[in-house]
Amino acid sequence: MITLRLSTMMFLQFFIWGGWFVTLGTYLAGTLAASGGQIGMAFSTQSWGAIIAPFIVGLIADRFFNAERILGVLHLCGAVLMYMMYQASDFTTFYPYVLGYMIAYMPTLALVNSVAFGQMTNPSKEFGKIRVWGTVGWIVAGLLISYVFSWDSTSAIADGMLRNTFMLCAIASLALGIFSFTLPATPPKAAGQKTGLRDVLGLDALALLKDKNFFVFFLSSVLICIPLAFYYQNANPFLTEIGVENATGKMTLGQVSEVLFMLALPVFLNKFGIKATLLIGMAAWVLRYALFAFGNADEGLFMLIVGIALHGICYDFFFVSGQIYTDAKAGERIKSAAQGLITLATYGVGMLIGFAVAGKITDEYTTATSHSWQDIWLFPAGFAAVVLIIFLMLFKSEKVSTNA
């Protein structure tokens, strides 16, 4: 019964995110007539949320309140903000609501993990079986939008039907907000302990940067987030604009591959080591964007499908293996701080820069009626290639304990 409740929590948590975030760029450009820079601003709210999240979780959730109660309150607030996004008629009105929503949503990513871990006796074996339902939730959201409601068809986008994604997610957020109060009690972990700004931001982990290999990895992690931002911001608008039908549904293939390659990751880490695995992840980014640059909705559709399917390698082989590498490099005392520092640097600073760059490049190659997508995609392809070369030259092979 506990497993079912935790799985439902994960399903709704990521159903909500996948239900509006994937099509956000298409909605803003097609319905609110937003520029590339404005779309970049909207997506960068994820980064602001990631930067602010440690303060909410570290200074409030971990010290004063049960995790499931804060989770409920934040999702109820999110439901209201999501409804206001549904009502917004222009970008100026829309932006404050999406910013507020992401500040409320991003801390919940850590909170659902806290609630789940709090009920487990063997997290290494139990967590994956529950977390996978989050990925299923994201996939179901995309399939509903494309194949059940058809909100992302060319005619539906022209009629502003993508606005309905916000109403759908407002309802789901309301449901999760209420459901959260029925979840098992998860008391604050650091009640009565002193927690300072240094602990919250993971600043103790900065000592790891004295290790040259970890510094190279850290820098590469921040830089690779710039190409990553292009995918989040531009993939759905690109596929929709060039005439790929059911683009949102097809993009769920990326989440399917994420699950499959997550299973393959331990094999690669043990057989090829951390450096080769990270390099494969970065090479996948280069290949993905090259395929997007030269593919099309007709005879080149297979190139786009392969590019989408590479998401599992792009994400798992770099970001997940990077988390494993960070855990192996950090001592017991600073493991949490190290993970917090990497998350802040990537999803916070790296993605913030990435969305700004993606918005500027997209505006640069906007034509009177569409975009020069080949030029847009060649930029992150080239950028990822430069990061790959830097990493290849400077990162020395080393043996780390992956526990895989």
Side-chain angles (χ1 to χ4, degrees):
M1 189 62 182
I2 290 289
T3 300
L4 177 62
R5 289 159 70 192
L6 295 177
S7 299
T8 302
M9 173 189 72
M10 286 294 183
F11 179 92
L12 288 171
Q13 174 76 19
F14 289 92
F15 176 93
I16 292 165
W17 199 0
W20 69 279
F21 197 69
V22 174
T23 56
L24 177 62
T26 303
Y27 170 74
L28 290 175
T31 305
L32 299 189
S35 66
Q38 288 175 323
I39 294 170
M41 279 177 61
F43 273 95
S44 69
T45 58
Q46 174 188 269
S47 301
W48 290 118
I51 290 168
I52 294 168
F55 294 92
I56 295 175
V57 176
L59 290 178
I60 301 173
D62 281 351
R63 298 176 71 189
F64 301 113
F65 302 103
N66 280 19
E68 81 282 358
R69 292 176 188 169
I70 297 185
L71 182 67
V73 169
L74 289 175
H75 274 299
L76 290 175
C77 291
V80 174
L81 290 164
M82 192 63 72
Y83 179 73
M84 299 308 293
M85 288 156 68
Y86 167 77
Q87 295 276 47
S89 57
D90 56 53
F91 182 80
T92 305
T93 310
F94 181 89
Y95 180 75
Y97 296 129
V98 72
L99 176 61
Y101 180 80
M102 273 310 203
I103 290 172
Y105 180 84
M106 292 306 285
T108 66
L109 294 172
L111 290 170
V112 291
N113 288 348
S114 293
V115 172
F117 284 131
Q119 311 310 312
M120 295 176 187
T121 52
N122 190 345
S124 62
K125 286 187 176 179
E126 298 171 63
F127 183 68
K129 296 171 187 175
I130 288 170
R131 174 57 183 83
V132 73
W133 285 100
T135 304
V136 171
W138 186 294
I139 292 168
V140 169
L143 296 177
L144 280 176
I145 290 167
S146 276
Y147 296 108
V148 177
F149 300 123
S150 298
W151 290 335
D152 63 345
S153 67
T154 304
S155 59
I157 292 170
D159 292 338
M161 296 298 284
L162 276 177
R163 176 177 273 113
N164 294 326
T165 59
F166 302 110
M167 179 60 82
L168 174 70
C169 294
I171 294 168
S173 192
L174 177 64
L176 181 52
I178 296 169
F179 180 71
S180 294
F181 290 100
T182 72
L183 290 168
T186 310
K189 292 179 293 184
Q193 295 179 22
K194 279 194 171 183
T195 306
L197 194 62
R198 187 176 186 85
D199 303 304
V200 168
L201 296 178
L203 297 183
D204 285 339
L206 287 173
L208 287 171
L209 298 179
K210 295 175 184 176
D211 181 302
K212 184 186 173 186
N213 251 15
F214 190 82
F215 177 77
V216 172
F217 160 74
F218 182 85
L219 182 63
S220 300
S221 296
V222 174
L223 292 176
I224 207 71
C225 283
I226 295 175
L228 173 61
F230 276 80
Y231 181 74
Y232 284 143
Q233 183 171 322
N234 285 336
N236 193 265
F238 159 65
L239 295 170
T240 303
E241 187 176 296
I242 67 171
V244 175
E245 292 185 11
N246 304 122
T248 311
K250 286 184 171 68
M251 284 181 68
T252 62
L253 182 61
Q255 275 62 52
V256 175
S257 82
E258 189 180 322
V259 174
L260 296 175
F261 282 107
M262 190 76 79
L263 298 174
L265 183 59
V267 177
F268 273 83
L269 283 169
N270 285 328
K271 190 175 175 81
F272 301 108
I274 192 70
K275 180 175 182 177
T277 304
L278 290 166
L279 282 170
I280 291 168
M282 283 187 275
W285 285 107
V286 181
L287 177 58
R288 156 184 266 183
Y289 291 133
L291 289 168
F292 280 3
F294 296 103
N296 56 58
D298 300 312
E299 68 278 0
L301 181 62
F302 78 96
M303 297 171 73
L304 305 180
I305 297 298
V306 172
I308 293 169
L310 281 170
H311 182 74
I313 300 179
C314 291
Y315 185 80
D316 294 340
F317 279 46
F318 192 86
F319 289 99
V320 178
S321 63
Q323 290 166 4
I324 293 170
Y325 175 66
T326 300
D327 186 73
K329 293 289 281 189
E332 281 299 325
R333 191 180 65 83
I334 60 167
K335 280 188 187 293
S336 294
Q339 295 292 350
L341 181 66
I342 285 290
T343 301
L344 188 70
T346 53
Y347 281 93
V349 177
M351 294 286 276
L352 194 63
I353 297 168
F355 286 126
V357 172
K360 191 170 181 60
I361 295 296
T362 303
D363 276 339
E364 186 74 26
Y365 292 107
T366 299
T367 64
T369 55
S370 59
H371 298 83
S372 176
W373 286 112
Q374 186 173 99
D375 291 309
I376 290 170
W377 290 123
L378 284 175
F379 180 89
F383 197 97
V386 171
V387 178
L388 185 151
I389 292 167
I390 292 171
F391 185 82
L392 177 65
M393 300 291 288
L394 299 181
F395 189 92
K396 305 300 181 189
S397 294
E398 63 175 303
K399 190 75 176 172
V400 297
S401 174
T402 62
N403 298 317

